């Protein structure tokens, strides 16, 4: 009988501990740093889907667009729509911006293309390497590169 009472107490303690841990994780949302450098539209789309889903689940998201991924930031660029949502990666990027996510192109993107700041989607800035490095080094920031 004592053994059963001990097991019940242990199980309750473990359950309570799991609940407390889950609550602590919920109260302290993840910080995600998403870097997109690929020119593959399907991969760009998945990066934007995951960034939006993470934001919807309470994470803090920041996006950096580099190299060919920087083309997502150009207002006049065209991208294919993907099923099942029939949306483009740029549409999902715009959603992130509308939700207050910081989105930047790499500092070397504009100087090394034919584009300038006036070609960027409203709300997209140019990254400042010291600020990006500071963000990357913050404890708890999870990095995802596409």
């Amino acid at each position: 009988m004592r053994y059963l009472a001990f097991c019940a107490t242990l199980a309750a303690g473990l359950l309570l501990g799991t609940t407390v841990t889950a609550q602590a994780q919920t109260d302290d949302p993840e910080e995600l740093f998403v870097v997109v450098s690929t020119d593959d539209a399907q991969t760009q789309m998945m990066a934007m889907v995951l960034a939006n889903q993470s934001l919807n689940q309470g994470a803090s998201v920041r996006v950096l667009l580099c190299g060919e991924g920087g083309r997502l930031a150009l207002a006049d660029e065209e991208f294919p729509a993907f099923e099942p949502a029939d949306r483009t990666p740029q549409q999902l990027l715009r959603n992130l911006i509308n939700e207050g996510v910081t989105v930047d192109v790499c500092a070397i993107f504009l100087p090394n293309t034919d584009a300038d700041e006036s070609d960027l989607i409203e709300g997209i800035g140019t990254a400042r390497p010291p600020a990006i490095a500071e963000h990357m080094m913050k404890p708890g920031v999870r990095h995802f590169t596409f």
Side-chain angles (χ1 to χ4, degrees):
M1 201 54 136
R2 284 185 187 172
Y3 179 74
L4 290 176
F6 172 75
C7 288
T9 302
L10 180 61
L14 290 173
L15 181 59
L16 180 61
T18 301
T19 303
V20 170
T21 301
Q23 183 64 38
Q25 289 174 347
T26 302
D27 291 343
D28 187 22
E30 294 284 335
E31 286 194 58
L32 303 181
F33 184 56
V34 179
V35 179
V36 181
S37 60
T38 183
D39 64 346
D40 181 71
Q42 191 169 9
T43 303
Q44 292 172 343
M45 182 66 171
M46 200 64 224
M48 295 299 103
V49 166
L50 294 174
N52 273 276
Q53 288 297 314
S54 297
L55 184 67
N56 292 342
Q57 293 182 30
S60 171
V61 178
R62 183 170 187 165
V63 177
L64 182 64
L65 305 170
C66 296
E68 289 301 311
R71 305 214 66 81
L72 278 170
L74 300 176
D76 290 338
E77 285 287 314
E78 291 187 25
F79 296 89
F82 291 94
E83 297 303 327
D86 193 33
R87 300 192 63 200
T88 71
Q90 193 178 69
Q91 287 173 319
L92 295 184
L93 177 66
R94 288 175 187 265
N95 184 71
L96 291 171
I97 295 165
N98 291 338
E99 292 294 326
V101 169
T102 298
V103 178
D104 293 309
V105 292
C106 284
I108 61 173
F109 177 73
L110 292 175
N112 291 287
T113 65
D114 293 334
D116 61 38
E117 285 191 20
S118 68
D119 296 312
L120 297 177
I121 294 169
E122 185 175 339
I124 296 181
T126 301
R128 300 174 79 167
I132 295 295
E134 180 181 337
H135 181 74
M136 290 173 62
M137 293 177 61
K138 287 181 4 186
V141 172
R142 297 179 73 192
H143 303 254
F144 295 90
T145 304
F146 297 88

